[in-house]
Amino acid sequence: MIKETLLLINLHASSNSNIKDQYFINKDVVYIYIYKALFSRTRKVQVKSSVFQQEPFPYNTIKVTLILYLVMALGFILEAISFFLFQLYSKSFAELITALPGQPANVSFKQYSGYIATDDQHGRALFYYFVEAETAHPLSRPLTLWLNGGPGCSSLGFGAFMENGPFQPGENGILVKNKHSWNIESNMLYVESPIGVGFSYSNTSSNYFWNDTRTAEDNLRFIVNWFEEFPYYKDSELFLTGESYAGHYIPQLAALLVEYNKRPNIRPIKLKAIALGNPLLDLDISVLAGDYLWSHGAISDDTLLLEKTVCNDSKYLREYYHGQLSKECKDVFNRVLDEISGDVEKGDLLMPKCLSSNSAQQFRLKGLQGKIYAEIDRRTRGTIPDPCLPDRIFTYLNNPQVQKALHANTTHLPYYWDFCSGPLVYQVDNLDMDLLPLIAYLLEQNIRILLYSGDQDAKVPLTQTRLITNNLAKDLKLVPFTKYGTWYDKEQVGGWSQSFGRLRDGMNLTLLTFATVRGAAHEVPFTSPSQALTLFKSFLSGSPPPRLHE
């Protein structure tokens, strides 16, 4: 089952292979700059050397021969320089962060960041940010690895600085303490994966073409090598967490860890459980959003009927990612987008749009009304998610002083850091992989699984994740341990949940939990930080989400 689910797809069959062959000669690192200039959607990179331009060679044979020798010599020189720089800067290292620019005073926990090499020969390294638990004895707490999805989105930008990390950039680059940071309960490890995401990179051009299988294998190498840099955490219980397309990353990594622990003469990695937020698990189920959008008043009766009879979300995504979008699907989903409106984010139906500082000035109220508005804004800040936070994170992580403090971008990558825009090219047909057999396998291995859903997310609606949970419980003959009902964050309803499991040694063993998070979006910890922390705490303890008076 694992081999079938983790089937390696030949990257050379990718539709992008003609692009790759056109611009890359062998594995020379110099050609990666052409690649990054082509595929970085946010910034352009100027390449001045005529070696990289598609100019015709002169007809004189001697000149052609000389130019070819020069190209080969340049390739060897740059490859040698690349290898030297990788050895010098990007070996695995555990670098203590003395202080981040704008960091609050009296921070009691340690932070580390840097690169973990996953392939020395090809110069491949993943960037990580590690935050120890905010306690006097961090080794007494578990270790949690967090991955964002995409595929191709940054766990540093989303996970660490927008969702559940210790700090968020405020005005003027000053970091604000996140009082609901998950390092209150656990040591937190954020990894920018795969290569081509954020600050993670390779000196070999072909290393920017990835699929699920290669990503899982590289993530396993990362974990094994990371423990060599942080050996005192080898005995810690490990939890894997993530959201969205991490519904692919995390289960496949967990399965590899299960298999790794079966090897002879190795120290087992203590994988305990995985948690997936609004996860893509099965394209035929996870993304169907018609009924959800209609029930929220976001699309009309006629449009819902078109989604049910002409083209639904699964069909649209398959056609779109394979470059075969039909007129019927295009017409239906243009209508969907028109009715939802460009001012509403599909991942959060409640989130207001960000008005930049320049635009916001046009709408700022004057006089008494302005003072009242400012006071309301002051009181609600921290309780309502800030739609402009991503802009501040982008600015902060592109600050050279911040990168220096993070030990990031040590080889001066020829593009800006960005949330989801980088040189990565992903095997798009992997989106159609069914992860449910792998989820079932992990449950059979007694790996606990939490599936949680922000109830304002229309990208992967809660209705679909609940359907998947119920199907898994039925197929595996898991027994409901709780009735479907409300769980609580302090004295407030945090959402609805139900847990399933089986008897083991005469005791109830909770294996599968589904939970909604009330008012939350696709990125649950960002929009509902208090509920997310409560849910995370129960997940670590192996308990169902707390019910009233529990």
Side-chain angles (χ1 to χ4, degrees), residues 171-188:
E171 301 297 332
N172 302 317
I174 302 301
L175 292 179
V176 178
K177 184 75 167 63
N178 177 10
K179 64 181 181 179
H180 299 110
S181 172
W182 284 13
N183 82 315
I184 294 172
E185 298 294 335
S186 173
N187 300 284
M188 296 297 300

Side-chain angles (χ1 to χ4, degrees), residues 430-471:
N430 280 197
L431 275 74
D432 205 6
M433 185 183 292
D434 180 5
L435 272 295
L436 299 186
L438 201 57
I439 294 289
Y441 166 78
L442 293 172
L443 290 169
E444 292 288 359
Q445 300 299 309
N446 293 323
I447 303 297
R448 291 189 288 105
I449 296 178
L450 166 65
L451 303 178
Y452 63 94
S453 294
D455 63 12
Q456 297 304 310
D457 177 28
K459 290 181 178 178
V460 183
L462 73 93
T463 51
Q464 307 312 108
T465 306
R466 180 168 60 183
L467 177 62
I468 285 173
T469 305
N470 291 336
N471 288 344

